[in-house]
Amino acid sequence: MRAAVLELAFAHLGAESAVSGAFEDNLGSHGVSRKLGYEPDGLEVHAVRGKPAVIRRLRLTRERWETHRSMPVEVTGLAECLPLFGARIKP
């Protein structure tokens, strides 16, 4: 699912970077992020049920996305959906 969203953002909507994050104990999410090419982008500490919880922020640049693209994704019907995003097709 994240690969599909990244394809839409970078290849079709002109995104330059994508950000994500996960609590530090969410190893599955961090594994997916690494595989997609995300890099560390800092930490945040939040209170969860009155206790500190660390979120590791991640960033994926367009350049890294291009080198880590490994899953084929097909986008169809985009033109009809662009107004919902407040966007238009790039010339």
Side-chain angles (χ1 to χ4, degrees):
M1 187 233 12
R2 246 197 292 178
V5 171
L6 293 170
E7 179 76 18
L8 175 64
F10 287 118
H12 300 282
L13 298 177
E16 293 299 321
S17 65
V19 294
S20 184
F23 288 107
E24 65 182 349
D25 62 350
N26 190 340
L27 302 180
S29 180
H30 288 287
V32 169
S33 296
R34 273 191 308 277
K35 185 174 183 176
L36 292 171
Y38 282 85
E39 296 181 292
D41 190 40
L43 302 173
E44 296 176 10
V45 179
H46 295 265
V48 175
R49 296 185 183 110
K51 296 181 182 178
V54 175
I55 292 179
R56 296 192 178 274
R57 291 191 321 254
L58 304 159
R59 179 174 298 275
L60 178 63
T61 63
R62 172 182 288 281
E63 181 180 347
R64 283 192 56 86
W65 169 75
E66 289 172 352
T67 63
H68 285 81
R69 275 170 97 181
S70 61
M71 185 175 301
V73 175
E74 181 181 340
V75 176
T76 61
L78 179 61
E80 297 81 7
C81 296
L82 287 176
L84 299 172
F85 295 125
R88 60 186 176 86
I89 295 177
K90 297 185 300 185

